[in-house]
């Protein structure tokens, strides 16, 4: 549920970011307010309409956008003919920088969690001079350890679901590692038969549902039911594309470069019971990012809780005060 009223955009459009891609963006709230880029998760989930209510529209200018090939951006990854080879973290960072220039901002705050935190870190480490601060819930680094845990290691807790996820892929296609398995899902998402693509996407999100099933907000079908067919297929295809390639980043890159962010205020909010993304990554990032703050919410997992939402609200208030006082 949105934390504030969902208002209509005062500006929206499709921005040509090159490579034949048009990126959908919109701006909501006060045009003179504190500028904040909302960076969605997934990857490939798109920025939902409810995300317009993430910030107080009387105080903030929120810039929302759908990353390449998902949401309202074009072309859409649900079409198996769409080439994803230019959909990389580095190009998403470049897209964000084009958007910042397009909307006429010198600097902005960044807000986003899960996969969004990976993209925020990549952007901020590339353009630290453009970032006033960062609020990151559900910290995700998308390194090899994190991906292997999410799609293999956590199967120690959900062995039945993991067996189903793994054995959906024929043995001769699975390869030797979890990254090979994820790449095989990606190949099936390009199958010419739409029924095969739909079935493959359903198997992927069934695993995602299992991982969050024990959480406060981990209701049955959380992933399966919230996305229409095309959105689900784009989500799965883009997830497989990124996670089989560890987000096109070198292992340890984001933590290793976090020292570049010294002086930029940041608040991380992480659930103690986040099985898909254990709190260790947030803890390591807080140690590596000088001046950052980690809030661990004891009753929350990846999907949050009332206390988790309260911590986010409190965190952005503290960030705004620190930025205003700097």
């Amino acid at each position: 549920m949105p934390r504030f009223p969902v208002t209509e955009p005062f500006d929206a459009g499709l921005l040509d970011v090159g490579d034949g891609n048009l990126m959908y963006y919109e701006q909501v709230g006060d045009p003179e307010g504190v500028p904040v880029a909302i960076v969605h998760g997934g990857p490939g989930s798109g920025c939902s309409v409810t995300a317009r209510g993430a910030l107080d529209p009387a105080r903030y200018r929120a810039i929302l956008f759908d990353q390449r090939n998902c949401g309202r951006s074009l072309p859409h990854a649900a079409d198996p003919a769409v080439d994803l080879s230019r959909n990389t973290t580095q190009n998403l960072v470049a897209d964000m920088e084009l958007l910042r220039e397009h909307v006429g901002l010198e600097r902005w705050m960044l807000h986003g969690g899960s996969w969004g935190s990976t993209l925020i870190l990549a952007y901020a480490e590339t353009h630290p001079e453009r970032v006033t601060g960062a609020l990151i819930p559900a910290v995700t680094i998308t390194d090899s350890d994190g991906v292997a845990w999410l799609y293999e290691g956590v199967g120690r807790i959900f062995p039945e679901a993991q067996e189903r996820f793994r054995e959906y892929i024929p043995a001769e296609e699975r390869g030797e590692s979890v990254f090979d398995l994820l790449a095989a899902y990606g190949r099936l998402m390009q199958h010419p038969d739409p029924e095969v693509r739909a079935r493959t996407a359903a198997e992927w999100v069934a695993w995602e549902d299992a991982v969050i099933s024990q959480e406060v907000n981990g209701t049955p079908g959380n992933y399966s039911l919230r996305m229409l067919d095309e959105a689900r297929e784009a989500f799965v295809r883009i997830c497989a594309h990124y996670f089989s390639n560890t987000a096109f980043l070198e292992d340890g890159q984001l933590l290793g470069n976090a020292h570049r962010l010294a002086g930029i205020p940041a608040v991380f909010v992480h659930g103690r019971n986040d099985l898909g993304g254990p709190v260790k990554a947030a803890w390591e990032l807080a140690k590596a990012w000088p001046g950052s703050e980690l809030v661990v919410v004891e009753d929350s997992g990846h999907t949050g809780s009332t206390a988790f939402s309260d911590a986010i609200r409190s965190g952005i208030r503290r960030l705004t005060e620190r930025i205003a006082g700097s």
Side-chain angles (χ1 to χ4, degrees):
M1 294 293 291
R3 293 182 288 277
F4 293 97
V6 174
T7 58
E8 289 299 309
F10 64 81
D11 174 42
L14 287 168
L15 176 64
D16 187 342
V17 294
D19 303 320
N21 285 279
L22 299 175
M23 182 174 71
Y24 177 82
Y25 74 93
E26 60 186 31
Q27 301 190 73
V28 299
D30 180 0
E32 302 301 320
V34 178
V36 184
I38 305 293
V39 185
H40 70 69
S45 67
C47 209
S48 67
V49 171
T50 58
R52 297 174 184 169
L55 302 170
D56 183 351
R59 188 172 188 183
Y60 295 93
R61 172 185 176 182
I63 302 96
L64 299 86
F65 60 98
D66 292 333
Q67 295 158 30
R68 289 192 180 203
N69 308 124
C70 71
R72 291 148 291 186
S73 291
L74 299 171
H76 200 267
D79 179 352
V82 169
D83 179 15
L84 297 186
S85 65
R86 300 293 293 169
N87 193 331
T88 64
T89 301
Q90 293 77 15
N91 282 335
L92 296 186
V93 166
D95 295 349
M96 288 177 63
E97 187 63 356
L98 283 173
L99 177 60
R100 181 195 61 76
E101 294 173 351
H102 180 74
V103 298
L105 293 172
E106 287 295 319
R107 304 172 74 204
W108 54 6
M109 188 191 303
L110 305 175
H111 177 22
S114 194
W115 156 257
S117 60
T118 296
L119 184 51
I120 283 174
L121 288 170
Y123 176 88
E125 290 175 3
T126 305
H127 301 287
E129 74 284 358
R130 300 303 182 187
V131 181
T132 59
L135 176 67
I136 304 177
V139 172
T140 303
I141 304 297
T142 320
D143 58 6
S144 59
D145 284 346
V147 174
W149 170 261
L150 177 57
Y151 292 101
E152 186 173 58
V154 76
R156 300 173 191 178
I157 302 170
F158 305 103
E160 307 93 335
Q162 186 188 46
E163 181 176 274
R164 173 176 169 170
F165 181 69
R166 177 177 173 77
E167 294 196 353
Y168 173 73
I169 301 296
E172 64 273 15
E173 295 290 329
R174 288 179 207 150
E176 298 182 357
S177 74
V178 66
F179 303 99
D180 294 333
L181 178 70
L182 302 181
Y185 267 90
R187 290 192 296 272
L188 280 179
M189 289 307 303
Q190 293 178 267
H191 197 283
D193 186 341
E195 292 187 6
V196 172
R197 299 197 302 272
R199 192 162 61 246
T200 302
E203 290 294 335
W204 182 289
V205 295
W207 168 252
E208 304 276 3
D209 283 340
V211 173
I212 64 169
S213 61
Q214 304 302 306
E215 298 187 2
V216 173
N217 291 330
T219 53
N222 191 293
Y223 284 94
S224 302
L225 299 178
R226 76 181 185 182
M227 296 180 183
L228 298 176
D229 291 345
E230 285 195 354
R232 181 191 301 172
E233 291 179 20
F235 167 75
V236 171
R237 189 176 172 211
I238 294 172
C239 279
H241 172 66
Y242 271 85
F243 295 151
S244 63
N245 290 288
T246 55
F248 307 95
L249 299 169
E250 294 181 11
D251 242 14
Q253 175 179 334
L254 296 182
L255 285 177
N257 290 334
H259 64 89
R260 298 179 182 176
L261 307 176
I264 300 174
V267 176
F268 314 134
V269 180
H270 207 95
R272 177 75 71 187
N273 302 318
D274 190 335
L275 293 179
V279 70
K280 182 181 178 183
W283 179 70
E284 290 178 337
L285 180 60
K287 291 200 303 178
W289 185 329
S292 63
E293 171 191 352
L294 171 61
V295 178
V296 178
V297 182
E298 299 296 336
D299 77 341
S300 178
H302 198 73
T303 55
S305 65
T306 299
F308 194 88
S309 296
D310 290 344
I312 291 174
R313 188 179 298 112
S314 175
I316 200 158
R317 183 169 59 248
R318 293 195 304 279
L319 268 181
T320 303
E321 291 170 353
R322 287 179 64 184
I323 293 167
S326 63

